[in-house]
Amino acid sequence: MQDLKKIPQIEKILKNPIFDNTNKIILKNITINKINHTRNQILNGQSYNLEHLENEILDEYKSITSNTLKPIINATGVVLQTNLGRSVFHKNLLNEILPLLSHYNNLEYNLKIGKRGERYDHLTSMLKAMFNTESALIVNNNAAAVLLILNTFAKDYEVIVSRGELVEIGGSFRIPEVMKSAGAILKEVGATNKTNLNDYKNAINEKSKIIMKAHKSNFEILGFSSEVSINDITKLCNENHLIDYYDLGSGYIKGIDCNEPSLLEICKNPPSLLSFSGDKLFGSTQAGIILGKKYLIDQLKQNHLLRALRVDKITILLLQATLQRYITNNIAEIPTINMLSKDISQLHKQAKFLCDRIDSFFNPSIIEVDSLAGGGSLPNKTFKSFGISLQIKGIKASELEKTLRENLVITRIYNNKVTLDMRTIQDDEIEILISILNNIKNARSNNE
Ligand SMILES: *Cc1c(COP(=O)(O)O)cnc(C)c1O
């Protein structure tokens, strides 16, 4: 208990030169908490040491004030991971938009007439031309697109959705919940595995406004199952003066060997409204891209909710730069597509190059693995790939996985071995990876 009296005054602790060059407001708040904590520890019979306390304060200060977002090497082979920030950008694209961010720009300024312009115009003409739609709108993410559409057209009215499509996407997006937030009434039809056109037809009544089709982004119903195509839904809606809306989820355009219907394909006979994410297979930044009939998009623009879902100029710049790459067929500068289209011989070559450089301490060996699109895209589609399995004698795979994770390399465990999948490892990460592995080896060898 005598120790309690030994704790110096806060001001005195703060004067220690180890705290020079720190932000005093943050430092003081940390110190108050630490002192309270130390008091409790002393009351519980623990001993106290001033130097230890001061070092703890400094450590906490450093951890709080440093950048918590760190660059990660994604060696999992899962290309789109919401936990790892979904799509990444090519450096050329970032360099291109840099001057537009360090200077003013004409985001909402019409240079021709010298008056207020429209922030959405920057992208809409490009989107309209590319996808052959009447109009377009960008919001914060696809969840916002769903919310805005349902709220604008179906508040207090019914939205018909197949039971097989009431999807939950990671990150707490659930169609029934979004429907509730939008004030729309969900009208479920069909069964989990089967819905036919008559199910929709029979559900139509004077309260119906929208028939919504949601892409089964992250699962597939196999076996005895059927769903109604968006074209049939469009036809049914036209006959009944309803709005046909397709929540496409991922928004695949081109460049990957897969069975996913492309947006270009879907837009040959476009639904009245469709929406998709900017940072899934489209390969750009977080956004919700809405395409559709002009009179409907105009109504979306009138909804005051849009002001709360408005996108920043960075979003617009990144989406535009990505779209330009689709237009010029420069897929190599859309890393999401680039990674998902790497061919197997290229991956093998990269695996061999890396494997030859990894120390035998890790028992590296080239193995065949399956990569995934991830992020609620292309469920059940695997992409054959090559990886390198690592194994240190006497050390569990889970421990090596943890050590690598602490060094900012995220891996998967495959057949009880830590595996580096080449598909998601970027060229400029190879040398970093090798030096991380060398450091791990040295640290282990020194401990032995
Ligand atoms: C991913 C997804 C969403 C949510 O999109 P975010 O851009 O993550 O908000 C909505 N619907 C479907 C079908 C999806 O796949």
Side-chain angles (χ1 to χ4, degrees):
M1 290 299 170
Q2 273 309 94
D3 277 355
L4 274 183
K5 298 211 180 81
K6 283 195 215 151
I7 302 177
Q9 295 273 308
I10 289 179
E11 295 306 325
K12 204 165 165 200
I13 296 180
L14 299 184
K15 289 219 173 76
N16 186 327
I18 64 166
F19 297 129
D20 286 355
N21 304 319
T22 57
N23 176 304
K24 293 299 178 289
I25 296 171
I26 293 176
L27 187 69
K28 194 166 174 179
N29 287 335
I30 293 173
T31 306
I32 291 169
N33 283 332
K34 279 281 174 206
I35 287 181
N36 286 338
H37 185 64
T38 306
R39 276 211 184 96
N40 287 335
Q41 282 183 324
I42 293 172
L43 290 173
N44 284 327
Q46 292 185 30
S47 64
Y48 148 84
N49 170 309
L50 177 61
E51 196 182 320
H52 181 75
L53 173 65
E54 287 173 337
N55 282 332
E56 267 189 10
I57 293 169
L58 189 61
D59 284 350
E60 184 156 338
Y61 177 87
K62 281 182 186 160
S63 101
I64 285 174
T65 54
S66 59
N67 274 338
T68 54
L69 271 172
K70 300 180 195 309
I72 294 264
I73 296 181
N74 174 8
T76 62
V78 183
V79 176
L80 293 168
Q81 296 214 39
T82 304
N83 298 354
L84 302 185
R86 290 195 186 161
S87 285
V88 296
F89 296 98
H90 195 279
K91 286 203 179 73
N92 289 356
L93 189 146
L94 298 175
N95 287 335
E96 196 175 284
I97 70 164
L98 215 54
L100 284 140
L101 292 173
S102 54
H103 295 271
Y104 292 107
N105 61 49
N106 55 324
L107 180 68
E108 284 192 357
Y109 187 65
N110 186 326
L111 289 168
K112 268 191 208 139
I113 57 170
K115 291 214 173 103
R116 192 180 183 280
E118 167 69 82
R119 78 172 52 210
Y120 302 105
D121 283 353
H122 298 284
L123 270 170
T124 43
S125 39
M126 216 184 256
L127 286 167
K128 275 157 55 180
M130 179 125 180
F131 299 110
N132 184 35
T133 64
E134 288 180 15
S135 191
L137 184 62
I138 314 295
V139 289
N140 219 359
N141 50 29
N142 191 33
V146 178
L147 179 73
L148 182 68
I149 288 169
L150 297 180
N151 180 264
T152 306
F153 301 110
K155 189 164 185 294
D156 301 325
Y157 285 92
E158 287 182 3
V159 181
I160 305 172
V161 189
S162 157
R163 282 205 171 83
E165 295 171 5
L166 292 172
V167 296
E168 165 169 346
I169 314 290
S172 69
F173 173 89
R174 278 180 174 177
I175 286 185
E177 257 90 285
V178 178
M179 195 81 70
K180 224 181 268 168
S181 306
I185 303 159
L186 171 64
K187 181 91 179 169
E188 298 175 38
V189 297
T192 305
N193 57 333
K194 279 202 167 200
T195 302
N196 57 48
L197 197 60
N198 269 329
D199 293 325
Y200 288 104
K201 238 184 224 167
N202 295 336
I204 297 173
N205 63 64
E206 68 285 357
K207 293 219 82 179
S208 314
K209 282 280 168 170
I210 297 178
I211 299 182
M212 173 177 179
K213 184 172 173 65
H215 191 274
K216 291 198 276 289
S217 297
N218 50 4
F219 67 105
E220 217 167 342
I221 299 176
L222 300 171
F224 187 68
S225 69
S226 66
E227 58 181 282
V228 178
S229 74
I230 187 65
N231 286 347
D232 287 342
I233 289 176
T234 298
K235 233 189 270 161
L236 182 65
C237 284
N238 288 345
E239 289 160 11
N240 292 276
H241 305 287
L242 300 177
I243 298 168
D244 46 317
Y245 166 40
Y246 196 2
D247 172 13
L248 200 50
S250 211
Y252 166 63
I253 298 186
K254 60 178 169 183
I256 308 171
D257 178 21
C258 64
N259 292 326
E260 187 74 2
S262 133
L263 260 164
L264 299 163
E265 205 62 45
I266 291 163
C267 286
K268 281 182 186 160
N269 191 1
S272 299
L273 285 172
L274 73 79
S275 71
F276 59 95
S277 286
D279 55 356
K280 292 185 183 171
L281 286 180
F282 184 69
S284 190
T285 195
Q286 179 188 306
I289 300 171
I290 305 171
L291 306 176
K293 296 239 156 59
K294 184 172 183 310
Y295 81 98
L296 295 173
I297 302 266
D298 286 347
Q299 287 179 64
L300 291 176
K301 287 184 184 169
Q302 297 301 317
N303 188 333
H304 289 292
L305 204 50
L306 180 61
R307 180 61 182 78
L309 310 175
R310 185 171 92 172
V311 289
D312 177 60
K313 60 180 178 247
I314 299 183
T315 303
I316 291 173
L317 288 167
L318 288 169
L319 289 175
Q320 190 160 52
T322 307
L323 258 179
Q324 276 166 342
R325 276 151 181 86
Y326 279 112
I327 290 169
T328 56
N329 226 357
N330 187 0
I331 301 292
E333 291 188 2
I334 307 176
T336 298
I337 304 299
N338 191 22
M339 288 181 205
L340 285 169
S341 60
K342 278 186 187 166
D343 75 52
I344 194 80
S345 62
Q346 186 189 357
L347 288 161
H348 188 264
K349 218 159 85 191
Q350 286 170 340
K352 179 142 188 359
F353 176 80
L354 179 58
C355 193
D356 286 348
R357 300 225 10 228
I358 297 176
D359 198 283
S360 60
F361 176 75
F362 293 96
N363 292 300
S365 116
I366 297 177
I367 57 166
E368 278 186 39
V369 289
D370 288 328
S371 321
L372 293 166
S377 310
L378 311 179
N380 290 347
K381 158 100 182 142
T382 52
F383 295 80
K384 289 262 162 271
S385 178
F386 281 100
I388 299 162
S389 69
L390 306 176
Q391 202 176 24
I392 307 176
K393 250 206 201 97
I395 287 171
K396 274 196 198 147
S398 58
E399 194 185 332
L400 179 57
E401 180 275 332
K402 180 168 179 275
T403 306
L404 281 162
R405 173 160 35 89
E406 286 163 354
N407 283 279
L408 308 178
V409 181
I410 311 296
T411 59
R412 277 204 292 176
I413 295 177
Y414 232 69
N415 293 333
N416 267 328
K417 287 179 190 171
V418 166
T419 304
L420 309 171
D421 186 329
M422 298 313 294
R423 189 177 294 278
T424 45
I425 299 173
Q426 307 193 57
D427 291 347
D428 59 358
E429 292 168 347
I430 299 273
E431 293 304 320
I432 303 169
L433 193 50
I434 290 164
S435 80
I436 289 172
L437 289 170
N438 286 337
N439 291 342
I440 291 173
K441 181 202 159 200
N442 294 337
R444 289 265 166 202
S445 317
N446 291 342
N447 282 344
E448 267 162 20

